[in-house]
Amino acid sequence: MGLFQRIKKDIRVIFERDPAAKSVFEVIFCYPGLHALLLHRIAHWLYQKNLVLLPRLISQFNRFLTGIEIHPGARIGEGLFIDHGMGVVIGETAEIGDNVTIYQGVTLGGTGKEKGKRHPTVGNNVVISAGAKVLGSLVVGDNVKIGAGSVVLRNVPPNCTVVGVPGKVVVREGRKIADMQPDAVDLQHHLLPDPVGEMILCLQRKIGRLENRIEELEAKLYDSQGIQHAH
């Protein structure tokens, strides 16, 4: 795909996923996610030519200009949409598939000083919500949704929703991502289950059952004592 075709696709993706986008000129001049991608592609091309300093300088300028830090070594597929983008960090060995959406404050980072592959591999049609951290050389499968503020430290199977710290796979109210169209991107990242709230409800129900059981036992005890006093 040529450079101009890729830019046209990047612009089209923004219109598809951001209802606030009103015009092409607005997208070109006012969307830092688009600027970050363009600069990253230049830096990544130079990085593949075994250059080091110039790609890193472009990456740092990119960070200064957009608030988005993408290492030149990161591999990014087609259709990435970085919404707002401030505070997004994508590490050197990170790999991002097609049709991925990333919100502000997301980190695709490492967990230590190990060499080699140390950043996440993200599949296709993935949504990573605001403030989420995906850390280490793990794999996030296709059609995954990661909730806001989650910290993902383990592999995530395809067609799952992850929430919490540390991130846990949960089921979303009977609606499976696999039932969607293959190329659709589900942006409803506010419709996520609350595992902590569900646990509290389970504890409340269990306490209610225990209270009922105690009342039954007390009633039986009082009845038996009443019969004894009657005698």
Side-chain angles (χ1 to χ4, degrees):
M1 181 181 293
L3 176 62
F4 290 104
Q5 289 180 327
R6 190 177 292 273
I7 294 174
K8 286 177 63 177
K9 182 171 183 178
D10 291 337
I11 294 173
R12 186 172 67 250
V13 163
I14 292 173
F15 279 105
E16 290 173 354
R17 302 184 206 169
D18 187 1
K22 299 297 189 297
S23 70
V24 173
F25 287 107
E26 178 193 11
V27 169
I28 292 174
F29 290 107
C30 301
Y31 274 71
L34 177 63
H35 306 155
L37 281 177
L38 294 176
L39 288 171
H40 170 71
R41 291 198 183 103
I42 297 171
H44 183 67
W45 183 83
L46 293 171
Y47 189 83
Q48 289 180 314
K49 302 298 181 182
N50 295 322
L51 299 175
V52 178
L53 180 59
L54 183 56
R56 289 304 305 271
L57 289 174
I58 294 174
S59 174
Q60 291 302 302
F61 174 73
N62 194 358
R63 175 185 178 184
F64 172 79
L65 179 67
T66 67
I68 300 168
E69 182 174 348
I70 309 176
H71 192 283
R75 298 183 179 181
I76 297 177
E78 297 181 6
L80 174 65
F81 174 43
I82 303 177
D83 194 10
H84 297 291
M86 180 61 69
V88 168
V89 177
I90 300 175
E92 177 185 11
T93 60
E95 299 178 39
I96 300 175
D98 298 333
N99 302 321
V100 173
T101 302
I102 294 177
Y103 290 87
Q104 66 272 15
V106 166
T107 298
L108 303 181
T111 56
K113 296 182 179 180
E114 68 274 11
K115 301 292 185 179
K117 178 69 168 139
R118 61 190 184 279
H119 298 101
T121 297
V122 178
N124 303 322
N125 307 318
V126 173
V127 175
I128 308 178
S129 301
K133 314 299 177 186
V134 186
L135 306 176
S137 180
L138 54 84
V139 177
V140 177
D142 296 343
N143 307 315
V144 166
K145 182 188 293 184
I146 299 175
S150 300
V151 179
V152 181
L153 302 173
R154 297 180 180 179
N155 292 340
V156 181
N159 308 314
C160 290
T161 299
V162 178
V163 297
V165 180
K168 296 180 180 179
V169 176
V170 294
V171 178
R172 183 182 50 181
E173 297 183 358
R175 186 186 178 194
K176 298 181 180 179
I177 299 177
D179 293 336
M180 299 173 55
Q181 297 177 1
D183 294 332
V185 179
D186 185 0
L187 301 179
Q188 303 297 320
H189 57 103
H190 62 291
L191 300 177
L192 298 178
D194 182 0
V196 176
E198 292 175 0
M199 181 60 68
I200 292 174
L201 289 176
C202 289
L203 290 174
Q204 288 178 336
R205 287 193 290 266
K206 189 170 185 178
I207 291 172
R209 290 194 295 268
L210 291 173
E211 289 177 342
N212 292 336
R213 181 59 178 163
I214 290 172
E215 290 177 358
E216 292 175 358
L217 293 174
E218 288 178 343
K220 290 181 181 179
L221 179 61
Y222 293 149
D223 289 342
S224 63
Q225 288 178 348
I227 292 174
Q228 291 176 358
H229 289 310
H231 288 297

